[in-house]
Amino acid sequence: MSTPEQNIEAANNFAKIFSTGDVAQILDTLHPDGTYWVSGGIEGMSGTYDKKGLGALLSGVTSVYENGALEVTPTAAVAQGDRVAVEATSYAKLKNGKVYQNAYHFLFEFRDGKILSIKEYMDTKHAYDIFYA
């Protein structure tokens, strides 16, 4: 079992890997039963994804970023047992000239040294306005 400090380090490492846009590496951080949930009611974005579904989502969205990735920067984290709560910000310039900057709360749950689940809470109106409006 990992310590809370190791789990914070793993959550921060996920943000670094996520920021590269390398979908295979991102998926490799997840437990085989891993899930990723996105808040809100945005069709095609919100909901729960297994590893395969997350891979498809990320492969699609990384193509709209000017540099191929959304940069995620953790700003604070707390951990208890196998759970880590992370506050973060993001930045990406899209190929259409729009800028996506959001604020997040992520809840990570770890099992066997891998991420079992991630819950992503964000400003869904901003996400909709940038990606769909």
Side-chain angles (χ1 to χ4, degrees):
M1 184 187 230
S2 307
T3 67
E5 293 77 15
Q6 289 169 323
N7 289 337
I8 289 174
E9 187 177 325
N12 288 338
N13 189 53
F14 174 84
K16 285 180 193 167
I17 293 169
F18 191 92
S19 297
T20 69
D22 185 327
V23 176
Q25 274 197 316
I26 294 166
L27 296 179
D28 190 51
T29 66
L30 298 180
H31 187 277
D33 298 327
T35 59
Y36 195 104
W37 174 85
V38 180
S39 62
I42 302 172
E43 190 168 331
M45 182 183 287
S46 300
T48 301
Y49 298 87
D50 61 10
K51 284 179 79 166
K52 183 178 179 183
L54 179 62
L57 175 70
L58 293 177
S59 294
V61 77
T62 55
S63 67
V64 303
Y65 299 131
E66 201 171 78
N67 72 350
L70 175 66
E71 182 180 328
V72 176
T73 305
T75 56
V78 296
Q80 183 176 21
D82 286 336
R83 293 177 181 246
V84 178
V86 177
E87 289 180 314
T89 59
S90 69
Y91 178 85
K93 188 169 183 184
L94 278 61
K95 291 178 180 174
N96 66 9
K98 291 182 180 180
V99 173
Y100 181 64
Q101 284 184 284
N102 214 331
Y104 302 85
H105 177 273
F106 293 100
L107 180 61
F108 290 82
E109 185 177 355
F110 292 88
R111 180 185 296 159
D112 304 324
K114 295 276 192 175
I115 299 167
L116 181 62
S117 69
I118 301 173
K119 292 182 178 177
E120 174 187 315
Y121 300 87
M122 62 160 161
D123 179 346
T124 54
K125 181 173 183 336
H126 175 66
Y128 181 83
D129 289 348
I130 296 299
F131 291 106
Y132 296 95

